[in-house]
Amino acid sequence: MNKSYSILLALIFPLAAFAETKNPNIVFILADDLGIGDVGCYGGKRCLIDTPNIDALAAGGLRFTDAHPNASVCGPTRRAIMTGRYPWRFGATVNNGPWGFCGPRPNTEKWTLGKLLKKAGYRTGYVGKWHLGTTMATKDGKSQGLTNVDFKKPLVYGPVQFGFDYSFILPGSLDMYPYAYARNNVWQGEVTTQKGWSAFNRVGPAEKDFQDHEVLETFYTEAESFIRKQNKDNPFFLFLALTAPHTPTSPGVKWRGKSKLGVYGDFVMEVDHSVERVVNALKARGLEQDTLVMFSSDHGPAPYAGNTLKATPAQIKKLEAQGHFPSGPHRGYKFSVYEGGLRVPLIARWPGVIAEGKICDALIGLNDFMATFAELAGIKLSDVQGPDSISFATLLKNPNSKGMRKSLILQSVTAFVVREGNWKLCVCPGSGAKINSPNANGNDPMPELAWSRALEVFKGKLKDTDLVAAPFVQLFNLANDPHEDSNLASQNSERVSRMIGLLKMQIENGRSTPGAKLKNDKNVQVFNLKDKRLPEILRERLE
């Protein structure tokens, strides 16, 4: 059978294997900045944090070993999860303001996980970090910001517009003002003061009683409340987006001093406890057997995070010196092109359907939730929905079968990454972090050094096509080089060209699944020498 045709069949027709199973409840728990090595069942002896509940989830279900967010930074990954579309296809934000005042990207709400499952008869809930953009009512009619938001009026645009029947959110991250909750788009409490927290001390508008160390417990308490209101007669979907262990490192009072690693470990242990609270709530309501619980992280660990509460460049190295490796056996962290920033835990548990203690090595993108949940709910996606999402539902029952995904496009904050089987192409030299960014320190080599070294090798003036070949790209075979130490780009120019061609084709087609061509919301280029994110040293070498 033609490969494209078989993928199309898998996207369109529900699995016979699930035909006799009623639509499961779905709970998806997404941690924030949690490294694959921060979890015991992935990190093994190199993990010094106790995570008994996440480990139990894996022991009772399925653990994926080659799962990836779509970016090594928060916002883009969350757009891809919510829409089944690569995040770089979306245009610029509108009504944009600083930090948690970030505005929406047009079309993000057009077809979402919430709308998908609502169409299938699910009651939908979203609790936790939002970071998908909001539109706030302002006193002067201008874009939202530090001084002009009318907190007495509801959000104009938020989770309600994404198809969620119930929502309780923090607009951005825990280190991003405004520090206030919104329930069903309505601000909670009195946003009348100014606060900031330990990591970056970003001071801005806050609800008068808001405390950073109470946020995580507030979220899993809200999740419990949502679950208590559900029943066996109607399926539900709960997206629980945690704010931890993202800085500020703020474990609840009951969790301080729990970990032998320090306060970072305390915070991860509270993340683990959130899984316990959700599972126990399902058991208490008699819903455990009917519920698919999934757990993951939005990308790898932050290099500035650790046991010093102030965000400190490269302090993650101090955790490694203690014997704890947040990135597991991989290289790099948040912001980078390397696996430490782009490989995450992904665990699925569904009693009686998913066999216990299984492992799956298939390539998975978190953008695949759209097609997977559609298949489990018996929904047929249209040609324009989830254009980059491929179902992995077959793997839930058959983890040893071949997954449908053969390639995956990822990104750091500045560069594309292409996976094709075990081959990985990083379309940049070095870590792919932002130029002159102290927060990315620890991701070696940093861009300034990597570009300088590449230019020493390259002779002559530069043109665009030079930047998609050695020495300006990195090619790794993850099958025998999981730490990405041996750059094979110069010896495999044909493979590099083919993978660049794959990236260009998926950009041009507006999709990576079979179907009619679609348009991206903006002009997307693999590389552009006029890009301001490139180091100044390149300007001298332009053709």
Side-chain angles (χ1 to χ4, degrees), residues 498-524:
R498 187 167 68 249
M499 293 177 76
I500 289 291
L502 173 65
L503 172 59
K504 288 181 176 179
M505 181 183 69
Q506 294 194 9
I507 291 174
E508 182 183 348
N509 287 345
R511 68 187 312 140
S512 55
T513 56
K517 279 190 176 183
L518 300 173
K519 287 186 178 181
N520 300 314
D521 296 352
K522 64 179 181 182
N523 180 32
V524 182

PDB file of all heavy atoms in Angstrom, residues 498-524:
ATOM      1  N   ARG A 498      18.515  16.381   1.306  1.00  0.00           N
ATOM      2  CA  ARG A 498      17.200  15.742   1.285  1.00  0.00           C
ATOM      3  C   ARG A 498      16.339  16.198   2.469  1.00  0.00           C
ATOM      4  O   ARG A 498      15.133  16.457   2.312  1.00  0.00           O
ATOM      5  CB  ARG A 498      17.355  14.222   1.294  1.00  0.00           C
ATOM      6  CG  ARG A 498      16.027  13.484   1.102  1.00  0.00           C
ATOM      7  CD  ARG A 498      16.215  12.016   0.806  1.00  0.00           C
ATOM      8  NE  ARG A 498      16.750  11.292   1.951  1.00  0.00           N
ATOM      9  CZ  ARG A 498      17.969  10.778   2.015  1.00  0.00           C
ATOM     10  NH1 ARG A 498      18.806  10.939   0.994  1.00  0.00           N
ATOM     11  NH2 ARG A 498      18.379  10.116   3.077  1.00  0.00           N
ATOM     12  N   MET A 499      16.944  16.312   3.640  1.00  0.00           N
ATOM     13  CA  MET A 499      16.184  16.728   4.817  1.00  0.00           C
ATOM     14  C   MET A 499      15.816  18.205   4.758  1.00  0.00           C
ATOM     15  O   MET A 499      14.728  18.595   5.191  1.00  0.00           O
ATOM     16  CB  MET A 499      16.980  16.394   6.085  1.00  0.00           C
ATOM     17  CG  MET A 499      17.131  14.882   6.296  1.00  0.00           C
ATOM     18  SD  MET A 499      18.142  14.400   7.725  1.00  0.00           S
ATOM     19  CE  MET A 499      17.006  14.728   9.082  1.00  0.00           C
ATOM     20  N   ILE A 500      16.686  19.019   4.172  1.00  0.00           N
ATOM     21  CA  ILE A 500      16.325  20.421   3.931  1.00  0.00           C
ATOM     22  C   ILE A 500      15.175  20.487   2.939  1.00  0.00           C
ATOM     23  O   ILE A 500      14.232  21.284   3.090  1.00  0.00           O
ATOM     24  CB  ILE A 500      17.538  21.218   3.399  1.00  0.00           C
ATOM     25  CG1 ILE A 500      18.571  21.407   4.511  1.00  0.00           C
ATOM     26  CG2 ILE A 500      17.100  22.563   2.830  1.00  0.00           C
ATOM     27  CD1 ILE A 500      18.144  22.330   5.630  1.00  0.00           C
ATOM     28  N   GLY A 501      15.208  19.613   1.925  1.00  0.00           N
ATOM     29  CA  GLY A 501      14.118  19.548   0.959  1.00  0.00           C
ATOM     30  C   GLY A 501      12.802  19.157   1.606  1.00  0.00           C
ATOM     31  O   GLY A 501      11.735  19.688   1.260  1.00  0.00           O
ATOM     32  N   LEU A 502      12.861  18.222   2.555  1.00  0.00           N
ATOM     33  CA  LEU A 502      11.662  17.815   3.290  1.00  0.00           C
ATOM     34  C   LEU A 502      11.088  18.991   4.069  1.00  0.00           C
ATOM     35  O   LEU A 502       9.868  19.229   4.053  1.00  0.00           O
ATOM     36  CB  LEU A 502      12.016  16.672   4.243  1.00  0.00           C
ATOM     37  CG  LEU A 502      10.924  16.215   5.210  1.00  0.00           C
ATOM     38  CD1 LEU A 502       9.752  15.604   4.444  1.00  0.00           C
ATOM     39  CD2 LEU A 502      11.476  15.197   6.208  1.00  0.00           C
ATOM     40  N   LEU A 503      11.952  19.742   4.736  1.00  0.00           N
ATOM     41  CA  LEU A 503      11.505  20.921   5.481  1.00  0.00           C
ATOM     42  C   LEU A 503      10.867  21.939   4.545  1.00  0.00           C
ATOM     43  O   LEU A 503       9.769  22.455   4.820  1.00  0.00           O
ATOM     44  CB  LEU A 503      12.697  21.525   6.224  1.00  0.00           C
ATOM     45  CG  LEU A 503      12.481  22.882   6.905  1.00  0.00           C
ATOM     46  CD1 LEU A 503      11.370  22.797   7.940  1.00  0.00           C
ATOM     47  CD2 LEU A 503      13.782  23.367   7.552  1.00  0.00           C
ATOM     48  N   LYS A 504      11.518  22.221   3.427  1.00  0.00           N
ATOM     49  CA  LYS A 504      10.983  23.207   2.486  1.00  0.00           C
ATOM     50  C   LYS A 504       9.634  22.765   1.923  1.00  0.00           C
ATOM     51  O   LYS A 504       8.720  23.586   1.748  1.00  0.00           O
ATOM     52  CB  LYS A 504      11.979  23.431   1.347  1.00  0.00           C
ATOM     53  CG  LYS A 504      13.222  24.199   1.764  1.00  0.00           C
ATOM     54  CD  LYS A 504      14.151  24.409   0.575  1.00  0.00           C
ATOM     55  CE  LYS A 504      15.363  25.263   0.955  1.00  0.00           C
ATOM     56  NZ  LYS A 504      16.280  25.464  -0.180  1.00  0.00           N
ATOM     57  N   MET A 505       9.495  21.475   1.655  1.00  0.00           N
ATOM     58  CA  MET A 505       8.235  20.953   1.113  1.00  0.00           C
ATOM     59  C   MET A 505       7.106  21.132   2.127  1.00  0.00           C
ATOM     60  O   MET A 505       5.990  21.528   1.766  1.00  0.00           O
ATOM     61  CB  MET A 505       8.391  19.481   0.746  1.00  0.00           C
ATOM     62  CG  MET A 505       7.133  18.854   0.156  1.00  0.00           C
ATOM     63  SD  MET A 505       7.326  17.084  -0.184  1.00  0.00           S
ATOM     64  CE  MET A 505       7.432  16.424   1.485  1.00  0.00           C
ATOM     65  N   GLN A 506       7.403  20.842   3.395  1.00  0.00           N
ATOM     66  CA  GLN A 506       6.356  20.960   4.416  1.00  0.00           C
ATOM     67  C   GLN A 506       6.007  22.421   4.695  1.00  0.00           C
ATOM     68  O   GLN A 506       4.876  22.731   5.057  1.00  0.00           O
ATOM     69  CB  GLN A 506       6.776  20.227   5.681  1.00  0.00           C
ATOM     70  CG  GLN A 506       6.880  18.725   5.466  1.00  0.00           C
ATOM     71  CD  GLN A 506       6.975  17.923   6.752  1.00  0.00           C
ATOM     72  OE1 GLN A 506       6.796  18.439   7.851  1.00  0.00           O
ATOM     73  NE2 GLN A 506       7.261  16.637   6.620  1.00  0.00           N
ATOM     74  N   ILE A 507       6.975  23.305   4.518  1.00  0.00           N
ATOM     75  CA  ILE A 507       6.678  24.732   4.610  1.00  0.00           C
ATOM     76  C   ILE A 507       5.783  25.149   3.448  1.00  0.00           C
ATOM     77  O   ILE A 507       4.744  25.784   3.633  1.00  0.00           O
ATOM     78  CB  ILE A 507       7.982  25.563   4.604  1.00  0.00           C
ATOM     79  CG1 ILE A 507       8.758  25.350   5.907  1.00  0.00           C
ATOM     80  CG2 ILE A 507       7.664  27.051   4.415  1.00  0.00           C
ATOM     81  CD1 ILE A 507      10.120  26.009   5.918  1.00  0.00           C
ATOM     82  N   GLU A 508       6.169  24.770   2.247  1.00  0.00           N
ATOM     83  CA  GLU A 508       5.442  25.170   1.037  1.00  0.00           C
ATOM     84  C   GLU A 508       4.025  24.597   1.004  1.00  0.00           C
ATOM     85  O   GLU A 508       3.086  25.282   0.574  1.00  0.00           O
ATOM     86  CB  GLU A 508       6.209  24.701  -0.197  1.00  0.00           C
ATOM     87  CG  GLU A 508       5.562  25.108  -1.519  1.00  0.00           C
ATOM     88  CD  GLU A 508       6.317  24.573  -2.723  1.00  0.00           C
ATOM     89  OE1 GLU A 508       7.449  24.089  -2.553  1.00  0.00           O
ATOM     90  OE2 GLU A 508       5.765  24.639  -3.835  1.00  0.00           O
ATOM     91  N   ASN A 509       3.859  23.359   1.467  1.00  0.00           N
ATOM     92  CA  ASN A 509       2.543  22.716   1.410  1.00  0.00           C
ATOM     93  C   ASN A 509       1.574  23.222   2.476  1.00  0.00           C
ATOM     94  O   ASN A 509       0.371  22.950   2.395  1.00  0.00           O
ATOM     95  CB  ASN A 509       2.690  21.200   1.553  1.00  0.00           C
ATOM     96  CG  ASN A 509       3.279  20.562   0.307  1.00  0.00           C
ATOM     97  OD1 ASN A 509       3.323  21.181  -0.751  1.00  0.00           O
ATOM     98  ND2 ASN A 509       3.746  19.324   0.437  1.00  0.00           N
ATOM     99  N   GLY A 510       2.096  23.916   3.492  1.00  0.00           N
ATOM    100  CA  GLY A 510       1.226  24.385   4.564  1.00  0.00           C
ATOM    101  C   GLY A 510       0.746  23.258   5.453  1.00  0.00           C
ATOM    102  O   GLY A 510      -0.118  23.452   6.316  1.00  0.00           O
ATOM    103  N   ARG A 511       1.305  22.085   5.286  1.00  0.00           N
ATOM    104  CA  ARG A 511       0.903  20.909   6.056  1.00  0.00           C
ATOM    105  C   ARG A 511       1.994  19.844   5.920  1.00  0.00           C
ATOM    106  O   ARG A 511       2.828  19.891   5.010  1.00  0.00           O
ATOM    107  CB  ARG A 511      -0.423  20.354   5.547  1.00  0.00           C
ATOM    108  CG  ARG A 511      -0.322  19.748   4.143  1.00  0.00           C
ATOM    109  CD  ARG A 511      -1.673  19.352   3.571  1.00  0.00           C
ATOM    110  NE  ARG A 511      -2.449  18.587   4.529  1.00  0.00           N
ATOM    111  CZ  ARG A 511      -3.767  18.746   4.712  1.00  0.00           C
ATOM    112  NH1 ARG A 511      -4.431  19.627   3.977  1.00  0.00           N
ATOM    113  NH2 ARG A 511      -4.417  18.012   5.585  1.00  0.00           N
ATOM    114  N   SER A 512       1.950  18.846   6.816  1.00  0.00           N
ATOM    115  CA  SER A 512       2.873  17.713   6.706  1.00  0.00           C
ATOM    116  C   SER A 512       2.121  16.400   6.568  1.00  0.00           C
ATOM    117  O   SER A 512       2.735  15.340   6.466  1.00  0.00           O
ATOM    118  CB  SER A 512       3.793  17.662   7.931  1.00  0.00           C
ATOM    119  OG  SER A 512       3.047  17.636   9.130  1.00  0.00           O
ATOM    120  N   THR A 513       0.795  16.468   6.569  1.00  0.00           N
ATOM    121  CA  THR A 513      -0.045  15.293   6.334  1.00  0.00           C
ATOM    122  C   THR A 513      -0.570  15.341   4.903  1.00  0.00           C
ATOM    123  O   THR A 513      -0.570  16.402   4.265  1.00  0.00           O
ATOM    124  CB  THR A 513      -1.233  15.275   7.318  1.00  0.00           C
ATOM    125  OG1 THR A 513      -1.971  16.507   7.181  1.00  0.00           O
ATOM    126  CG2 THR A 513      -0.751  15.121   8.748  1.00  0.00           C
ATOM    127  N   PRO A 514      -1.028  14.196   4.367  1.00  0.00           N
ATOM    128  CA  PRO A 514      -1.580  14.195   3.012  1.00  0.00           C
ATOM    129  C   PRO A 514      -2.798  15.112   2.915  1.00  0.00           C
ATOM    130  O   PRO A 514      -3.572  15.243   3.851  1.00  0.00           O
ATOM    131  CB  PRO A 514      -1.971  12.728   2.799  1.00  0.00           C
ATOM    132  CG  PRO A 514      -1.128  11.958   3.756  1.00  0.00           C
ATOM    133  CD  PRO A 514      -0.979  12.835   4.952  1.00  0.00           C
ATOM    134  N   GLY A 515      -2.959  15.744   1.769  1.00  0.00           N
ATOM    135  CA  GLY A 515      -4.107  16.616   1.567  1.00  0.00           C
ATOM    136  C   GLY A 515      -3.763  17.777   0.655  1.00  0.00           C
ATOM    137  O   GLY A 515      -2.611  17.957   0.247  1.00  0.00           O
ATOM    138  N   ALA A 516      -4.768  18.577   0.371  1.00  0.00           N
ATOM    139  CA  ALA A 516      -4.577  19.739  -0.488  1.00  0.00           C
ATOM    140  C   ALA A 516      -3.669  20.753   0.191  1.00  0.00           C
ATOM    141  O   ALA A 516      -3.638  20.862   1.419  1.00  0.00           O
ATOM    142  CB  ALA A 516      -5.929  20.371  -0.812  1.00  0.00           C
ATOM    143  N   LYS A 517      -2.937  21.521  -0.605  1.00  0.00           N
ATOM    144  CA  LYS A 517      -2.045  22.534  -0.050  1.00  0.00           C
ATOM    145  C   LYS A 517      -2.824  23.554   0.768  1.00  0.00           C
ATOM    146  O   LYS A 517      -3.946  23.934   0.422  1.00  0.00           O
ATOM    147  CB  LYS A 517      -1.296  23.249  -1.183  1.00  0.00           C
ATOM    148  CG  LYS A 517      -0.086  22.508  -1.710  1.00  0.00           C
ATOM    149  CD  LYS A 517       0.723  23.399  -2.644  1.00  0.00           C
ATOM    150  CE  LYS A 517       1.997  22.696  -3.096  1.00  0.00           C
ATOM    151  NZ  LYS A 517       2.824  23.578  -3.958  1.00  0.00           N
ATOM    152  N   LEU A 518      -2.202  23.998   1.850  1.00  0.00           N
ATOM    153  CA  LEU A 518      -2.770  25.041   2.687  1.00  0.00           C
ATOM    154  C   LEU A 518      -1.798  26.210   2.733  1.00  0.00           C
ATOM    155  O   LEU A 518      -0.637  26.085   2.347  1.00  0.00           O
ATOM    156  CB  LEU A 518      -3.006  24.504   4.109  1.00  0.00           C
ATOM    157  CG  LEU A 518      -3.946  23.310   4.241  1.00  0.00           C
ATOM    158  CD1 LEU A 518      -3.952  22.793   5.678  1.00  0.00           C
ATOM    159  CD2 LEU A 518      -5.355  23.664   3.797  1.00  0.00           C
ATOM    160  N   LYS A 519      -2.284  27.340   3.202  1.00  0.00           N
ATOM    161  CA  LYS A 519      -1.432  28.515   3.313  1.00  0.00           C
ATOM    162  C   LYS A 519      -0.979  28.696   4.755  1.00  0.00           C
ATOM    163  O   LYS A 519      -1.761  28.537   5.695  1.00  0.00           O
ATOM    164  CB  LYS A 519      -2.183  29.770   2.852  1.00  0.00           C
ATOM    165  CG  LYS A 519      -2.387  29.859   1.352  1.00  0.00           C
ATOM    166  CD  LYS A 519      -3.016  31.205   0.972  1.00  0.00           C
ATOM    167  CE  LYS A 519      -3.167  31.318  -0.536  1.00  0.00           C
ATOM    168  NZ  LYS A 519      -3.767  32.632  -0.918  1.00  0.00           N
ATOM    169  N   ASN A 520       0.302  29.029   4.939  1.00  0.00           N
ATOM    170  CA  ASN A 520       0.765  29.458   6.251  1.00  0.00           C
ATOM    171  C   ASN A 520       0.245  30.874   6.493  1.00  0.00           C
ATOM    172  O   ASN A 520      -0.060  31.607   5.551  1.00  0.00           O
ATOM    173  CB  ASN A 520       2.298  29.447   6.305  1.00  0.00           C
ATOM    174  CG  ASN A 520       2.864  28.065   6.050  1.00  0.00           C
ATOM    175  OD1 ASN A 520       2.399  27.077   6.614  1.00  0.00           O
ATOM    176  ND2 ASN A 520       3.875  27.984   5.183  1.00  0.00           N
ATOM    177  N   ASP A 521       0.157  31.261   7.746  1.00  0.00           N
ATOM    178  CA  ASP A 521      -0.370  32.591   8.065  1.00  0.00           C
ATOM    179  C   ASP A 521       0.666  33.691   7.856  1.00  0.00           C
ATOM    180  O   ASP A 521       0.347  34.876   7.981  1.00  0.00           O
ATOM    181  CB  ASP A 521      -0.858  32.624   9.516  1.00  0.00           C
ATOM    182  CG  ASP A 521      -2.023  31.676   9.743  1.00  0.00           C
ATOM    183  OD1 ASP A 521      -2.537  31.126   8.769  1.00  0.00           O
ATOM    184  OD2 ASP A 521      -2.420  31.482  10.913  1.00  0.00           O
ATOM    185  N   LYS A 522       1.904  33.290   7.583  1.00  0.00           N
ATOM    186  CA  LYS A 522       2.963  34.260   7.336  1.00  0.00           C
ATOM    187  C   LYS A 522       3.966  33.639   6.376  1.00  0.00           C
ATOM    188  O   LYS A 522       3.926  32.434   6.098  1.00  0.00           O
ATOM    189  CB  LYS A 522       3.657  34.652   8.640  1.00  0.00           C
ATOM    190  CG  LYS A 522       4.383  33.489   9.304  1.00  0.00           C
ATOM    191  CD  LYS A 522       5.073  33.939  10.587  1.00  0.00           C
ATOM    192  CE  LYS A 522       5.813  32.768  11.236  1.00  0.00           C
ATOM    193  NZ  LYS A 522       6.449  33.160  12.501  1.00  0.00           N
ATOM    194  N   ASN A 523       4.867  34.451   5.881  1.00  0.00           N
ATOM    195  CA  ASN A 523       5.930  33.961   5.009  1.00  0.00           C
ATOM    196  C   ASN A 523       6.972  33.246   5.870  1.00  0.00           C
ATOM    197  O   ASN A 523       7.537  33.835   6.800  1.00  0.00           O
ATOM    198  CB  ASN A 523       6.575  35.125   4.261  1.00  0.00           C
ATOM    199  CG  ASN A 523       7.692  34.673   3.343  1.00  0.00           C
ATOM    200  OD1 ASN A 523       7.651  33.575   2.793  1.00  0.00           O
ATOM    201  ND2 ASN A 523       8.696  35.512   3.171  1.00  0.00           N
ATOM    202  N   VAL A 524       7.217  31.971   5.583  1.00  0.00           N
ATOM    203  CA  VAL A 524       8.150  31.170   6.371  1.00  0.00           C
ATOM    204  C   VAL A 524       9.346  30.814   5.501  1.00  0.00           C
ATOM    205  O   VAL A 524       9.189  30.340   4.372  1.00  0.00           O
ATOM    206  CB  VAL A 524       7.480  29.874   6.890  1.00  0.00           C
ATOM    207  CG1 VAL A 524       8.462  29.082   7.745  1.00  0.00           C
ATOM    208  CG2 VAL A 524       6.219  30.201   7.673  1.00  0.00           C
TER     209      VAL A 524
END
